[in-house]
PDB file of all heavy atoms in Angstrom:
ATOM      1  N   ILE K1433       1.256 -30.969 -39.621  1.00 98.00           N
ATOM      2  CA  ILE K1433       0.084 -31.844 -39.468  1.00 98.00           C
ATOM      3  C   ILE K1433      -0.382 -31.827 -38.011  1.00 98.00           C
ATOM      4  O   ILE K1433      -1.582 -31.727 -37.723  1.00 98.00           O
ATOM      5  CB  ILE K1433       0.411 -33.280 -39.932  1.00 98.00           C
ATOM      6  CG1 ILE K1433       0.556 -33.325 -41.456  1.00 98.00           C
ATOM      7  CG2 ILE K1433      -0.687 -34.255 -39.484  1.00 98.00           C
ATOM      8  CD1 ILE K1433       1.031 -34.662 -41.996  1.00 98.00           C
ATOM      9  N   HIS K1434       0.563 -31.910 -37.088  1.00 98.00           N
ATOM     10  CA  HIS K1434       0.210 -31.847 -35.666  1.00 98.00           C
ATOM     11  C   HIS K1434      -0.420 -30.505 -35.300  1.00 98.00           C
ATOM     12  O   HIS K1434      -1.255 -30.441 -34.388  1.00 98.00           O
ATOM     13  CB  HIS K1434       1.448 -32.099 -34.797  1.00 98.00           C
ATOM     14  CG  HIS K1434       1.792 -33.542 -34.632  1.00 98.00           C
ATOM     15  ND1 HIS K1434       1.121 -34.374 -33.766  1.00 98.00           N
ATOM     16  CD2 HIS K1434       2.732 -34.319 -35.236  1.00 98.00           C
ATOM     17  CE1 HIS K1434       1.627 -35.599 -33.827  1.00 98.00           C
ATOM     18  NE2 HIS K1434       2.612 -35.597 -34.708  1.00 98.00           N
ATOM     19  N   GLN K1435      -0.037 -29.454 -36.007  1.00 97.00           N
ATOM     20  CA  GLN K1435      -0.604 -28.128 -35.755  1.00 97.00           C
ATOM     21  C   GLN K1435      -1.952 -27.936 -36.453  1.00 97.00           C
ATOM     22  O   GLN K1435      -2.649 -26.945 -36.194  1.00 97.00           O
ATOM     23  CB  GLN K1435       0.361 -27.037 -36.239  1.00 97.00           C
ATOM     24  CG  GLN K1435       1.723 -27.044 -35.566  1.00 97.00           C
ATOM     25  CD  GLN K1435       1.643 -26.894 -34.072  1.00 97.00           C
ATOM     26  OE1 GLN K1435       0.991 -25.991 -33.565  1.00 97.00           O
ATOM     27  NE2 GLN K1435       2.292 -27.802 -33.345  1.00 97.00           N
ATOM     28  N   GLY K1436      -2.308 -28.873 -37.335  1.00 96.00           N
ATOM     29  CA  GLY K1436      -3.535 -28.714 -38.118  1.00 96.00           C
ATOM     30  C   GLY K1436      -3.428 -27.583 -39.127  1.00 96.00           C
ATOM     31  O   GLY K1436      -4.434 -26.984 -39.525  1.00 96.00           O
ATOM     32  N   ASP K1437      -2.205 -27.291 -39.564  1.00 98.00           N
ATOM     33  CA  ASP K1437      -1.928 -26.163 -40.456  1.00 98.00           C
ATOM     34  C   ASP K1437      -1.765 -26.679 -41.887  1.00 98.00           C
ATOM     35  O   ASP K1437      -0.672 -27.082 -42.307  1.00 98.00           O
ATOM     36  CB  ASP K1437      -0.652 -25.464 -39.981  1.00 98.00           C
ATOM     37  CG  ASP K1437      -0.326 -24.197 -40.765  1.00 98.00           C
ATOM     38  OD1 ASP K1437      -0.871 -24.019 -41.873  1.00 98.00           O
ATOM     39  OD2 ASP K1437       0.493 -23.395 -40.277  1.00 98.00           O
ATOM     40  N   LEU K1438      -2.849 -26.643 -42.642  1.00 98.00           N
ATOM     41  CA  LEU K1438      -2.827 -27.176 -44.004  1.00 98.00           C
ATOM     42  C   LEU K1438      -1.907 -26.354 -44.902  1.00 98.00           C
ATOM     43  O   LEU K1438      -1.188 -26.920 -45.740  1.00 98.00           O
ATOM     44  CB  LEU K1438      -4.246 -27.209 -44.585  1.00 98.00           C
ATOM     45  CG  LEU K1438      -4.403 -27.791 -45.991  1.00 98.00           C
ATOM     46  CD1 LEU K1438      -3.890 -29.223 -46.052  1.00 98.00           C
ATOM     47  CD2 LEU K1438      -5.866 -27.730 -46.445  1.00 98.00           C
ATOM     48  N   ALA K1439      -1.905 -25.038 -44.745  1.00 97.00           N
ATOM     49  CA  ALA K1439      -1.022 -24.199 -45.563  1.00 97.00           C
ATOM     50  C   ALA K1439       0.438 -24.529 -45.279  1.00 97.00           C
ATOM     51  O   ALA K1439       1.270 -24.577 -46.194  1.00 97.00           O
ATOM     52  CB  ALA K1439      -1.305 -22.722 -45.289  1.00 97.00           C
ATOM     53  N   GLY K1440       0.763 -24.770 -43.997  1.00 98.00           N
ATOM     54  CA  GLY K1440       2.128 -25.144 -43.640  1.00 98.00           C
ATOM     55  C   GLY K1440       2.522 -26.476 -44.242  1.00 98.00           C
ATOM     56  O   GLY K1440       3.652 -26.654 -44.720  1.00 98.00           O
ATOM     57  N   VAL K1441       1.595 -27.435 -44.237  1.00 98.00           N
ATOM     58  CA  VAL K1441       1.843 -28.742 -44.867  1.00 98.00           C
ATOM     59  C   VAL K1441       2.141 -28.552 -46.349  1.00 98.00           C
ATOM     60  O   VAL K1441       3.135 -29.061 -46.883  1.00 98.00           O
ATOM     61  CB  VAL K1441       0.634 -29.689 -44.677  1.00 98.00           C
ATOM     62  CG1 VAL K1441       0.793 -30.940 -45.552  1.00 98.00           C
ATOM     63  CG2 VAL K1441       0.482 -30.087 -43.218  1.00 98.00           C
ATOM     64  N   CYS K1442       1.276 -27.786 -47.018  1.00 98.00           N
ATOM     65  CA  CYS K1442       1.402 -27.631 -48.471  1.00 98.00           C
ATOM     66  C   CYS K1442       2.674 -26.888 -48.878  1.00 98.00           C
ATOM     67  O   CYS K1442       3.270 -27.186 -49.908  1.00 98.00           O
ATOM     68  CB  CYS K1442       0.170 -26.910 -49.023  1.00 98.00           C
ATOM     69  SG  CYS K1442      -1.324 -27.925 -48.990  1.00 98.00           S
ATOM     70  N   SER K1443       3.092 -25.926 -48.051  1.00 97.00           N
ATOM     71  CA  SER K1443       4.297 -25.160 -48.391  1.00 97.00           C
ATOM     72  C   SER K1443       5.563 -25.995 -48.232  1.00 97.00           C
ATOM     73  O   SER K1443       6.635 -25.609 -48.723  1.00 97.00           O
ATOM     74  CB  SER K1443       4.385 -23.901 -47.534  1.00 97.00           C
ATOM     75  OG  SER K1443       4.532 -24.232 -46.165  1.00 97.00           O
ATOM     76  N   ASN K1444       5.446 -27.149 -47.566  1.00 97.00           N
ATOM     77  CA  ASN K1444       6.617 -28.007 -47.358  1.00 97.00           C
ATOM     78  C   ASN K1444       6.503 -29.373 -48.044  1.00 97.00           C
ATOM     79  O   ASN K1444       7.369 -30.222 -47.875  1.00 97.00           O
ATOM     80  CB  ASN K1444       6.846 -28.207 -45.856  1.00 97.00           C
ATOM     81  CG  ASN K1444       7.366 -26.951 -45.187  1.00 97.00           C
ATOM     82  OD1 ASN K1444       8.538 -26.637 -45.240  1.00 97.00           O
ATOM     83  ND2 ASN K1444       6.452 -26.195 -44.564  1.00 97.00           N
ATOM     84  N   MET K1445       5.419 -29.575 -48.809  1.00 97.00           N
ATOM     85  CA  MET K1445       5.267 -30.846 -49.527  1.00 97.00           C
ATOM     86  C   MET K1445       6.396 -31.033 -50.531  1.00 97.00           C
ATOM     87  O   MET K1445       6.952 -30.065 -51.041  1.00 97.00           O
ATOM     88  CB  MET K1445       3.924 -30.884 -50.286  1.00 97.00           C
ATOM     89  CG  MET K1445       2.700 -30.977 -49.428  1.00 97.00           C
ATOM     90  SD  MET K1445       1.192 -31.439 -50.352  1.00 97.00           S
ATOM     91  CE  MET K1445       1.246 -30.363 -51.783  1.00 97.00           C
ATOM     92  N   GLY K1446       6.704 -32.272 -50.816  1.00 96.00           N
ATOM     93  CA  GLY K1446       7.713 -32.559 -51.827  1.00 96.00           C
ATOM     94  C   GLY K1446       7.841 -34.043 -52.059  1.00 96.00           C
ATOM     95  O   GLY K1446       7.492 -34.847 -51.193  1.00 96.00           O
ATOM     96  N   ASN K1447       8.315 -34.402 -53.224  1.00 96.00           N
ATOM     97  CA  ASN K1447       8.437 -35.803 -53.622  1.00 96.00           C
ATOM     98  C   ASN K1447       9.706 -35.957 -54.444  1.00 96.00           C
ATOM     99  O   ASN K1447       9.785 -35.474 -55.577  1.00 96.00           O
ATOM    100  CB  ASN K1447       7.201 -36.218 -54.434  1.00 96.00           C
ATOM    101  CG  ASN K1447       7.216 -37.667 -54.867  1.00 96.00           C
ATOM    102  OD1 ASN K1447       8.229 -38.354 -54.740  1.00 96.00           O
ATOM    103  ND2 ASN K1447       6.107 -38.142 -55.396  1.00 96.00           N
ATOM    104  N   VAL K1448      10.708 -36.618 -53.881  1.00 95.00           N
ATOM    105  CA  VAL K1448      11.989 -36.738 -54.582  1.00 95.00           C
ATOM    106  C   VAL K1448      11.877 -37.569 -55.865  1.00 95.00           C
ATOM    107  O   VAL K1448      12.719 -37.446 -56.757  1.00 95.00           O
ATOM    108  CB  VAL K1448      13.080 -37.348 -53.672  1.00 95.00           C
ATOM    109  CG1 VAL K1448      13.367 -36.437 -52.487  1.00 95.00           C
ATOM    110  CG2 VAL K1448      12.711 -38.761 -53.203  1.00 95.00           C
ATOM    111  N   LEU K1449      10.838 -38.409 -55.981  1.00 96.00           N
ATOM    112  CA  LEU K1449      10.693 -39.229 -57.185  1.00 96.00           C
ATOM    113  C   LEU K1449      10.239 -38.422 -58.398  1.00 96.00           C
ATOM    114  O   LEU K1449      10.314 -38.906 -59.532  1.00 96.00           O
ATOM    115  CB  LEU K1449       9.703 -40.376 -56.923  1.00 96.00           C
ATOM    116  CG  LEU K1449      10.167 -41.415 -55.892  1.00 96.00           C
ATOM    117  CD1 LEU K1449       9.110 -42.501 -55.729  1.00 96.00           C
ATOM    118  CD2 LEU K1449      11.503 -42.039 -56.290  1.00 96.00           C
ATOM    119  N   GLU K1450       9.802 -37.180 -58.159  1.00 95.00           N
ATOM    120  CA  GLU K1450       9.492 -36.310 -59.291  1.00 95.00           C
ATOM    121  C   GLU K1450      10.735 -36.085 -60.143  1.00 95.00           C
ATOM    122  O   GLU K1450      10.625 -35.849 -61.356  1.00 95.00           O
ATOM    123  CB  GLU K1450       8.959 -34.961 -58.792  1.00 95.00           C
ATOM    124  CG  GLU K1450       7.556 -35.022 -58.222  1.00 95.00           C
ATOM    125  CD  GLU K1450       7.071 -33.684 -57.700  1.00 95.00           C
ATOM    126  OE1 GLU K1450       7.906 -32.770 -57.510  1.00 95.00           O
ATOM    127  OE2 GLU K1450       5.859 -33.554 -57.477  1.00 95.00           O
ATOM    128  N   SER K1451      11.912 -36.175 -59.534  1.00 94.00           N
ATOM    129  CA  SER K1451      13.163 -35.962 -60.274  1.00 94.00           C
ATOM    130  C   SER K1451      13.332 -36.990 -61.382  1.00 94.00           C
ATOM    131  O   SER K1451      14.019 -36.732 -62.375  1.00 94.00           O
ATOM    132  CB  SER K1451      14.361 -36.017 -59.323  1.00 94.00           C
ATOM    133  OG  SER K1451      14.479 -37.300 -58.714  1.00 94.00           O
ATOM    134  N   VAL K1452      12.687 -38.148 -61.224  1.00 94.00           N
ATOM    135  CA  VAL K1452      12.739 -39.182 -62.261  1.00 94.00           C
ATOM    136  C   VAL K1452      11.548 -39.054 -63.202  1.00 94.00           C
ATOM    137  O   VAL K1452      11.705 -38.886 -64.418  1.00 94.00           O
ATOM    138  CB  VAL K1452      12.750 -40.598 -61.640  1.00 94.00           C
ATOM    139  CG1 VAL K1452      12.826 -41.658 -62.752  1.00 94.00           C
ATOM    140  CG2 VAL K1452      13.911 -40.755 -60.675  1.00 94.00           C
ATOM    141  N   THR K1453      10.346 -39.107 -62.651  1.00 94.00           N
ATOM    142  CA  THR K1453       9.137 -39.169 -63.475  1.00 94.00           C
ATOM    143  C   THR K1453       8.895 -37.884 -64.247  1.00 94.00           C
ATOM    144  O   THR K1453       8.554 -37.907 -65.434  1.00 94.00           O
ATOM    145  CB  THR K1453       7.914 -39.498 -62.598  1.00 94.00           C
ATOM    146  OG1 THR K1453       8.188 -40.679 -61.836  1.00 94.00           O
ATOM    147  CG2 THR K1453       6.681 -39.728 -63.454  1.00 94.00           C
ATOM    148  N   GLU K1454       9.081 -36.739 -63.580  1.00 93.00           N
ATOM    149  CA  GLU K1454       8.814 -35.462 -64.248  1.00 93.00           C
ATOM    150  C   GLU K1454       9.806 -35.196 -65.372  1.00 93.00           C
ATOM    151  O   GLU K1454       9.460 -34.594 -66.400  1.00 93.00           O
ATOM    152  CB  GLU K1454       8.852 -34.327 -63.227  1.00 93.00           C
ATOM    153  CG  GLU K1454       8.338 -33.012 -63.752  1.00 93.00           C
ATOM    154  CD  GLU K1454       8.242 -31.949 -62.669  1.00 93.00           C
ATOM    155  OE1 GLU K1454       8.047 -32.310 -61.483  1.00 93.00           O
ATOM    156  OE2 GLU K1454       8.363 -30.759 -63.013  1.00 93.00           O
ATOM    157  N   SER K1455      11.046 -35.662 -65.212  1.00 92.00           N
ATOM    158  CA  SER K1455      12.036 -35.450 -66.274  1.00 92.00           C
ATOM    159  C   SER K1455      11.677 -36.257 -67.526  1.00 92.00           C
ATOM    160  O   SER K1455      11.981 -35.851 -68.642  1.00 92.00           O
ATOM    161  CB  SER K1455      13.427 -35.844 -65.781  1.00 92.00           C
ATOM    162  OG  SER K1455      13.507 -37.237 -65.509  1.00 92.00           O
ATOM    163  N   ARG K1456      11.010 -37.395 -67.320  1.00 94.00           N
ATOM    164  CA  ARG K1456      10.596 -38.230 -68.452  1.00 94.00           C
ATOM    165  C   ARG K1456       9.262 -37.783 -69.038  1.00 94.00           C
ATOM    166  O   ARG K1456       9.032 -37.912 -70.244  1.00 94.00           O
ATOM    167  CB  ARG K1456      10.473 -39.686 -67.997  1.00 94.00           C
ATOM    168  CG  ARG K1456      11.783 -40.320 -67.570  1.00 94.00           C
ATOM    169  CD  ARG K1456      11.557 -41.749 -67.139  1.00 94.00           C
ATOM    170  NE  ARG K1456      12.810 -42.412 -66.780  1.00 94.00           N
ATOM    171  CZ  ARG K1456      12.885 -43.685 -66.427  1.00 94.00           C
ATOM    172  NH1 ARG K1456      11.789 -44.422 -66.369  1.00 94.00           N
ATOM    173  NH2 ARG K1456      14.054 -44.233 -66.123  1.00 94.00           N
ATOM    174  N   TYR K1457       8.397 -37.291 -68.167  1.00 95.00           N
ATOM    175  CA  TYR K1457       7.044 -36.924 -68.584  1.00 95.00           C
ATOM    176  C   TYR K1457       6.764 -35.493 -68.117  1.00 95.00           C
ATOM    177  O   TYR K1457       6.222 -35.283 -67.024  1.00 95.00           O
ATOM    178  CB  TYR K1457       6.012 -37.891 -67.999  1.00 95.00           C
ATOM    179  CG  TYR K1457       6.270 -39.339 -68.337  1.00 95.00           C
ATOM    180  CD1 TYR K1457       6.828 -40.205 -67.396  1.00 95.00           C
ATOM    181  CD2 TYR K1457       5.969 -39.855 -69.596  1.00 95.00           C
ATOM    182  CE1 TYR K1457       7.068 -41.534 -67.698  1.00 95.00           C
ATOM    183  CE2 TYR K1457       6.210 -41.178 -69.911  1.00 95.00           C
ATOM    184  CZ  TYR K1457       6.767 -42.014 -68.955  1.00 95.00           C
ATOM    185  OH  TYR K1457       7.012 -43.338 -69.255  1.00 95.00           O
ATOM    186  N   PRO K1458       7.111 -34.507 -68.934  1.00 96.00           N
ATOM    187  CA  PRO K1458       6.952 -33.096 -68.545  1.00 96.00           C
ATOM    188  C   PRO K1458       5.520 -32.707 -68.192  1.00 96.00           C
ATOM    189  O   PRO K1458       5.308 -31.702 -67.502  1.00 96.00           O
ATOM    190  CB  PRO K1458       7.430 -32.337 -69.793  1.00 96.00           C
ATOM    191  CG  PRO K1458       8.345 -33.289 -70.490  1.00 96.00           C
ATOM    192  CD  PRO K1458       7.773 -34.655 -70.236  1.00 96.00           C
ATOM    193  N   ILE K1459       4.528 -33.493 -68.630  1.00 97.00           N
ATOM    194  CA  ILE K1459       3.135 -33.183 -68.311  1.00 97.00           C
ATOM    195  C   ILE K1459       2.916 -33.159 -66.804  1.00 97.00           C
ATOM    196  O   ILE K1459       2.048 -32.443 -66.303  1.00 97.00           O
ATOM    197  CB  ILE K1459       2.168 -34.192 -68.992  1.00 97.00           C
ATOM    198  CG1 ILE K1459       0.722 -33.706 -68.833  1.00 97.00           C
ATOM    199  CG2 ILE K1459       2.342 -35.594 -68.427  1.00 97.00           C
ATOM    200  CD1 ILE K1459      -0.283 -34.534 -69.612  1.00 97.00           C
ATOM    201  N   VAL K1460       3.714 -33.920 -66.056  1.00 97.00           N
ATOM    202  CA  VAL K1460       3.597 -33.923 -64.596  1.00 97.00           C
ATOM    203  C   VAL K1460       3.867 -32.523 -64.056  1.00 97.00           C
ATOM    204  O   VAL K1460       3.109 -31.994 -63.238  1.00 97.00           O
ATOM    205  CB  VAL K1460       4.565 -34.950 -63.969  1.00 97.00           C
ATOM    206  CG1 VAL K1460       4.626 -34.785 -62.451  1.00 97.00           C
ATOM    207  CG2 VAL K1460       4.134 -36.368 -64.328  1.00 97.00           C
ATOM    208  N   GLY K1461       4.939 -31.903 -64.521  1.00 97.00           N
ATOM    209  CA  GLY K1461       5.264 -30.550 -64.088  1.00 97.00           C
ATOM    210  C   GLY K1461       4.243 -29.527 -64.556  1.00 97.00           C
ATOM    211  O   GLY K1461       3.892 -28.593 -63.813  1.00 97.00           O
ATOM    212  N   ARG K1462       3.752 -29.705 -65.769  1.00 98.00           N
ATOM    213  CA  ARG K1462       2.758 -28.759 -66.299  1.00 98.00           C
ATOM    214  C   ARG K1462       1.459 -28.817 -65.496  1.00 98.00           C
ATOM    215  O   ARG K1462       0.837 -27.785 -65.223  1.00 98.00           O
ATOM    216  CB  ARG K1462       2.489 -29.050 -67.776  1.00 98.00           C
ATOM    217  CG  ARG K1462       3.685 -28.774 -68.685  1.00 98.00           C
ATOM    218  CD  ARG K1462       3.261 -28.616 -70.131  1.00 98.00           C
ATOM    219  NE  ARG K1462       2.581 -29.793 -70.651  1.00 98.00           N
ATOM    220  CZ  ARG K1462       3.191 -30.814 -71.251  1.00 98.00           C
ATOM    221  NH1 ARG K1462       4.513 -30.798 -71.392  1.00 98.00           N
ATOM    222  NH2 ARG K1462       2.501 -31.842 -71.713  1.00 98.00           N
ATOM    223  N   LEU K1463       1.056 -30.022 -65.132  1.00 98.00           N
ATOM    224  CA  LEU K1463      -0.174 -30.157 -64.347  1.00 98.00           C
ATOM    225  C   LEU K1463      -0.032 -29.474 -62.986  1.00 98.00           C
ATOM    226  O   LEU K1463      -0.965 -28.813 -62.510  1.00 98.00           O
ATOM    227  CB  LEU K1463      -0.530 -31.636 -64.159  1.00 98.00           C
ATOM    228  CG  LEU K1463      -1.169 -32.334 -65.353  1.00 98.00           C
ATOM    229  CD1 LEU K1463      -1.209 -33.851 -65.143  1.00 98.00           C
ATOM    230  CD2 LEU K1463      -2.585 -31.818 -65.591  1.00 98.00           C
ATOM    231  N   LYS K1464       1.121 -29.620 -62.364  1.00 98.00           N
ATOM    232  CA  LYS K1464       1.343 -28.944 -61.079  1.00 98.00           C
ATOM    233  C   LYS K1464       1.238 -27.428 -61.250  1.00 98.00           C
ATOM    234  O   LYS K1464       0.580 -26.745 -60.441  1.00 98.00           O
ATOM    235  CB  LYS K1464       2.722 -29.314 -60.517  1.00 98.00           C
ATOM    236  CG  LYS K1464       2.842 -30.747 -60.039  1.00 98.00           C
ATOM    237  CD  LYS K1464       4.114 -30.959 -59.214  1.00 98.00           C
ATOM    238  CE  LYS K1464       5.362 -30.696 -60.006  1.00 98.00           C
ATOM    239  NZ  LYS K1464       6.599 -30.859 -59.213  1.00 98.00           N
TER     240      LYS K1464
END
């Protein structure tokens, strides 16, 4: 973000709560 590098931001994005929600609702993973 400090570098203004959007591709770098996106390649490192992540959300640990997906481990809960995506396992219950597979549509979350499919949409991604």
